[in-house]
Amino acid sequence: MISEQGGFWVGVGRRRTEGGTVPEAAMYVQYQIPADLTHPFPVVMVHGGGGQGTDFLSTPDGRPGWATRFLQAGFAVYVVDRPGHGRSPYHPDVLGPIVGPPPSYEFLTALFCTGTARPGSQWPGTGEIGDPALDQLLASQGPTLPTFADNQEQMRRCGAELLDRIGPAVLVTHSMGGPFGWVVADARPELVKAVIAVEPMGPPFTELPGFGRLDWGLTATPITYEPPVEDPAELRTQLRRAGAEGLQDCLVQAEPARSLPNLRNLPIAVVAADTSPFAAFQHGIADYLTQSGADADLLRLPEMGLTGNGHMPMGERNSDEVAEVLMAWLGKRLAAAEGHPVRR
């Protein structure tokens, strides 16, 4: 039973163009609030890459998505289409030129369906061209903003306005949407109660040709450090060995490390699958967050009995089981935080 549902845009600005005054990049938000609201904080679900909020509304093979599962568990759920995606339309006069070709089957198969040839794969199809589930995923994909920094500045601006409107919340992010959690927690530390980062982009200080570099560690746009950082070149780094086969050595800060004060003690789950190309560096993201003062847990799905997952566990066969694990983690961490001072 739903007590309220609807949609709205946040971050609506205005920009002068040759054709007149137009809305500046806004973020669409779809929400549902259950009649039996059993959790104090709503969940904001943030898609990755060239996707849209549909990543959380249903799975590629047509089952209810995480938005429904969290709603059934008693959470108010807000699902966003980041600026330039889905119901937040992309226009080059507002968001800059579209860079590169459209997302291809070949590229996204390599990203999302790497493990389909292995026994126990959780992808709900063959993972090859002609797979109906893959068709559904590809149909949802579009261009991304020209640079990491452009993406993340829009995330900060619109995410902060969303929390100003709805109040304290939990952020569930995916892939290239991962920095939404870091920059919005930095902008509104008193309003972000926890972050569940599913296969977030990384590792720290990574560079992706054509999109830019995560110059500020986990973000391409400035984030607050203590002691303060004026230029990201001030961040000294060292390579930390992964210490396990199949894992990537990742950069962390050289000691003594600066902290991320607005993420200090923030409960964060960094969620890693086992057949994803992103699996090799998720420990590096958790290490960086912990070193910077966040209260980060690395949740490797195989260690929780969930195997065969790729880069999109919210869309795979065992999506419900993964959701249960994440809700259990969230319940424990929020319960443990009760009675503690509000983070500032």
Side-chain angles (χ1 to χ4, degrees):
M1 296 292 291
I2 297 171
S3 68
E4 186 180 347
Q5 64 180 355
F8 55 88
W9 281 265
V10 293
V12 183
R14 283 166 292 278
R15 175 176 295 194
R16 287 288 302 173
T17 70
E18 291 182 0
T21 304
V22 300
E24 192 168 12
M27 183 172 76
Y28 182 75
V29 184
Q30 174 178 329
Y31 70 94
Q32 290 183 307
I33 300 174
D36 185 14
L37 184 63
T38 58
H39 296 277
F41 304 119
V43 172
V44 176
M45 297 187 173
V46 184
H47 64 86
Q52 53 186 289
T54 50
D55 292 350
F56 293 101
L57 298 180
S58 63
T59 65
D61 59 336
R63 292 173 292 110
W66 282 4
T68 297
R69 297 311 185 205
F70 275 73
L71 182 74
Q72 290 171 332
F75 290 92
V77 177
Y78 293 76
V79 178
V80 311
D81 290 348
R82 293 189 286 106
H85 302 270
R87 290 164 290 188
S88 305
Y90 196 124
H91 196 289
D93 288 353
V94 177
L95 290 170
I98 295 174
V99 178
S104 69
Y105 278 85
E106 290 77 10
F107 172 72
L108 290 181
T109 297
L111 179 59
F112 292 111
C113 306
T114 310
T116 52
R118 306 180 195 177
S121 168
Q122 298 292 348
W123 175 256
T126 65
E128 300 175 350
I129 295 178
D131 172 5
L134 192 58
D135 287 342
Q136 291 295 306
L137 176 63
L138 263 292
S140 73
Q141 300 295 304
T144 60
L145 273 63
T147 70
F148 286 157
D150 292 331
N151 268 282
Q152 293 164 24
E153 280 302 324
Q154 298 292 358
M155 293 178 193
R156 185 202 309 273
R157 182 177 64 86
C158 294
E161 184 174 320
L162 174 60
L163 295 194
D164 288 343
R165 176 167 177 164
I166 69 173
V170 173
L171 307 181
V172 177
T173 66
H174 178 229
S175 192
M176 196 181 287
F180 188 105
W182 322 140
V183 298
V184 174
D186 184 53
R188 296 292 185 272
E190 71 282 3
L191 296 180
V192 177
K193 295 304 179 182
V195 176
I196 298 175
V198 181
E199 294 259 309
M201 69 175 297
F205 301 101
T206 195
E207 182 171 3
L208 189 62
F211 286 95
R213 183 174 184 268
L214 301 180
D215 287 320
W216 294 80
L218 295 178
T219 67
T221 191
I223 191 169
T224 305
Y225 279 91
E226 183 60 44
V229 174
E230 297 294 330
D231 186 322
E234 299 170 30
L235 294 169
R236 299 181 304 111
T237 63
Q238 64 184 39
L239 191 67
R240 181 175 291 181
R241 300 296 178 185
E245 185 178 354
L247 299 183
Q248 180 177 334
D249 298 339
C250 297
L251 291 173
V252 294
Q253 293 187 68
E255 296 291 349
R258 287 175 161 88
S259 68
L260 294 168
N262 291 333
L263 275 65
R264 185 177 295 124
N265 299 324
L266 175 64
I268 298 173
V270 178
V271 183
D274 57 341
T275 70
S276 165
F278 281 42
F281 60 74
Q282 294 303 313
H283 66 281
I285 296 173
D287 287 350
Y288 195 89
L289 289 164
T290 299
Q291 184 189 40
S292 303
D295 189 3
D297 290 332
L298 176 61
L299 303 185
R300 291 199 177 278
L301 295 182
E303 295 175 2
M304 312 183 89
L306 300 170
T307 60
N309 287 103
H311 185 52
M312 195 177 185
M314 69 283 295
E316 296 181 311
R317 287 189 176 101
N318 64 347
S319 58
D320 289 353
E321 288 79 5
V322 178
E324 290 292 339
V325 163
L326 301 185
M327 286 188 280
W329 175 89
L330 183 58
K332 291 178 182 177
R333 297 308 305 274
L334 292 181
E338 285 184 2
H340 288 199
V342 174
R343 293 183 311 107
R344 297 287 182 187

